[in-house]
Amino acid sequence: MTEKHKVAILGSGNWGSTVAKIVGSNVKTKTESFDPEVRVWVYEELVDGRKLTEIINSDHENVKYLPGKKLPENVVAVPDPIEAVAGADILVFVLPHQFVRGLCAKLRGNVREGAFAVSLIKGVEFDENGIVLISDVISKELGVECSVLMGANIANEIADEQFSEATIGYKNAAHAKLLQIIFQKPYFRIAGAPDIPGVEICGALKNVVALGAGFCDGLGYGNNTKAAVIRFGLLEMVRFAKKFFKNVQYTTFLQSSGVADLITTCYGGRNRKCAEAFARAGGRKSFEELEVELLNGQKLQGTLTAKEVHEVLQRQKLMKEFPFFEVIYDIVYEGRPVEQFLQELSEKELSLEGNIE
């Protein structure tokens, strides 16, 4: 008899809880291939005097991060990440990217032999050599193969079972097929792309572009301007990806993980929301303040990624090639007035594309 696959989910925010709802309901109907219990690592906190793990396990609802949505009873919340991964051979990472290394340090030596991972984390790291994929961090820290899953995925809409798509970026096709089984629903379509860097970079950089879209909204610009800003951002996403990963496939940018996720994030999502509020306040409120006011404990990714992108561009003297990313950085970190967002940007971007002779 073939041993059953066991899934563990690391992270329990808005998106992590939505994923637990999907995965939990899928594996309990496929018990010939999967262990029906899905353990979810939950960062323990008190909600109205009760432990969040206890609320999830008794009420089957993450009342803080996904209120009003029932989780399957086979989803079990645990406060210890080592307990969460015990016996699991499919590890689903869905937490803010700045916490990945710390979590992996705790898990090192406690992961089952032969396990593999998938990252749903829309962020990247940077070092003196350039970009570092979160999937590579997980892979190197834990000694596991790691795929990625990205897409136009606003968690609450998927929790409401509105139709959506996502893309699995993979190297190992057999692993990708298993991931498709645990994630795919009639309302959540999963496609594949053998291009992990392309899928993952889209998922990270679109958050920076969403800040620009939010600035447009906060400054009162119309749809024409916002469409131009999104296009400028997409151009720099492609330019950046090809600069650091020569084999990135252009078709990846047409997947759900590419242009679809970019559009969704630029019209919804937390980065756009906070950037709009920042612009409406004329920069008088910091992003840290807005994060606390507007996100109910969730974390911004776009501002941190903008800083990391700037640092690598600065080290490699590439700043002139990426005027969009640079103006976002200047507004967020250097005090440049948000009203200057479009000043010189269109001229610089168009000059990089080439003028009509």
Side-chain angles (χ1 to χ4, degrees):
M1 180 178 177
T2 304
E3 189 173 0
K4 295 180 181 181
H5 298 286
K6 184 173 180 61
V7 183
I9 298 174
L10 297 152
S12 59
N14 188 229
W15 185 215
S17 298
T18 299
V19 167
K21 179 176 182 285
I22 292 170
V23 174
S25 65
N26 275 341
V27 299
K28 73 178 183 180
T29 64
K30 299 176 174 66
T31 54
E32 71 284 356
S33 301
F34 293 90
D35 185 318
E37 182 183 76
V38 176
R39 292 181 185 172
V40 180
W41 170 57
V42 175
Y43 181 79
E44 193 70 280
E45 53 189 308
L46 295 178
V47 180
D48 295 329
R50 299 174 64 194
K51 292 181 178 180
L52 185 55
T53 54
E54 293 177 357
I55 296 172
I56 293 172
N57 290 332
S58 61
D59 301 349
H60 307 293
E61 180 184 349
N62 188 331
V63 295
K64 180 165 185 179
Y65 297 109
L66 194 66
K69 304 300 175 187
K70 286 295 182 181
L71 300 176
E73 294 186 4
N74 59 314
V75 170
V76 178
V78 297
D80 181 359
I82 295 174
E83 181 184 352
V85 303
D89 65 329
I90 302 177
L91 311 180
V92 180
F93 284 80
V94 52
L95 68 156
H97 80 273
Q98 58 264 42
F99 302 125
V100 170
R101 287 189 183 272
L103 176 60
C104 286
K106 293 180 181 178
L107 296 178
R108 197 178 300 124
N110 294 287
V111 172
R112 177 179 174 179
E113 186 176 354
F116 66 95
V118 58
S119 171
L120 280 63
I121 300 167
K122 293 181 176 179
V124 288
E125 290 187 355
F126 296 87
D127 62 17
E128 63 279 1
N129 298 314
I131 191 169
V132 179
L133 301 177
I134 296 298
S135 60
D136 284 341
V137 172
I138 294 170
S139 181
K140 292 174 183 176
E141 291 286 327
L142 299 180
V144 298
E145 188 268 329
C146 187
S147 302
V148 297
L149 185 144
M150 308 284 165
N153 303 147
I154 293 177
N156 287 337
E157 294 181 8
I158 298 173
D160 286 336
E161 302 187 4
Q162 298 180 32
F163 182 78
S164 184
E165 299 178 304
T167 306
I168 291 175
Y170 65 90
K171 293 178 182 176
N172 186 311
H175 290 171
K177 288 178 181 177
L178 283 171
L179 294 172
Q180 186 178 47
I181 291 170
I182 67 170
F183 286 117
Q184 184 149 279
K185 302 287 281 184
Y187 59 85
F188 192 44
R189 178 183 176 274
I190 306 297
D195 179 14
I196 290 176
V199 172
E200 195 163 355
I201 289 172
C202 285
L205 296 184
K206 56 96 181 186
N207 287 323
V208 182
V209 181
L211 295 175
F215 292 155
C216 278
D217 293 339
L219 293 169
Y221 294 131
N223 289 324
N224 292 341
T225 304
K226 189 170 179 177
V229 165
I230 293 171
R231 191 182 76 86
F232 290 156
L234 178 60
L235 286 172
E236 290 204 4
M237 288 169 60
V238 175
R239 197 180 300 146
F240 190 95
K242 295 297 289 184
K243 178 71 69 174
F244 293 100
F245 295 92
K246 303 300 183 185
N247 295 323
V248 164
Q249 301 171 11
Y250 282 111
T251 53
T252 299
F253 292 89
L254 301 179
Q255 289 263 18
S256 180
S257 58
V259 67
D261 193 12
L262 177 63
I263 292 169
T264 296
T265 306
C266 287
Y267 280 88
R270 68 190 77 160
N271 293 281
R272 188 219 61 82
K273 180 179 182 179
C274 287
E276 178 183 10
F278 180 88
R280 289 192 185 281
R284 291 183 296 275
K285 285 189 176 182
S286 70
F287 275 96
E288 290 80 6
E289 291 174 304
L290 293 168
E291 184 180 71
V292 172
E293 287 182 17
L294 300 176
L295 298 186
N296 189 35
Q298 297 181 77
K299 297 295 182 182
L300 280 177
Q301 298 298 307
T303 51
L304 178 59
T305 302
K307 183 175 187 290
E308 293 169 331
V309 167
H310 166 76
E311 288 172 353
V312 75
L313 294 179
Q314 187 178 49
R315 281 196 297 269
Q316 301 207 13
K317 297 180 172 57
L318 295 171
M319 295 163 65
K320 290 184 178 180
E321 295 184 34
F322 297 90
F324 184 99
F325 290 157
E326 282 303 298
V327 73
I328 297 293
Y329 171 81
D330 286 346
I331 291 170
V332 176
Y333 291 102
E334 297 296 334
R336 181 171 183 171
V338 69
E339 293 80 9
Q340 295 181 9
F341 172 54
L342 290 174
Q343 184 178 324
E344 300 181 13
L345 178 59
S346 60
E347 182 179 337
K348 289 179 179 179
E349 280 291 354
L350 291 172
S351 69
L352 289 171
E353 294 181 76
N355 294 315
I356 297 172
E357 298 296 334

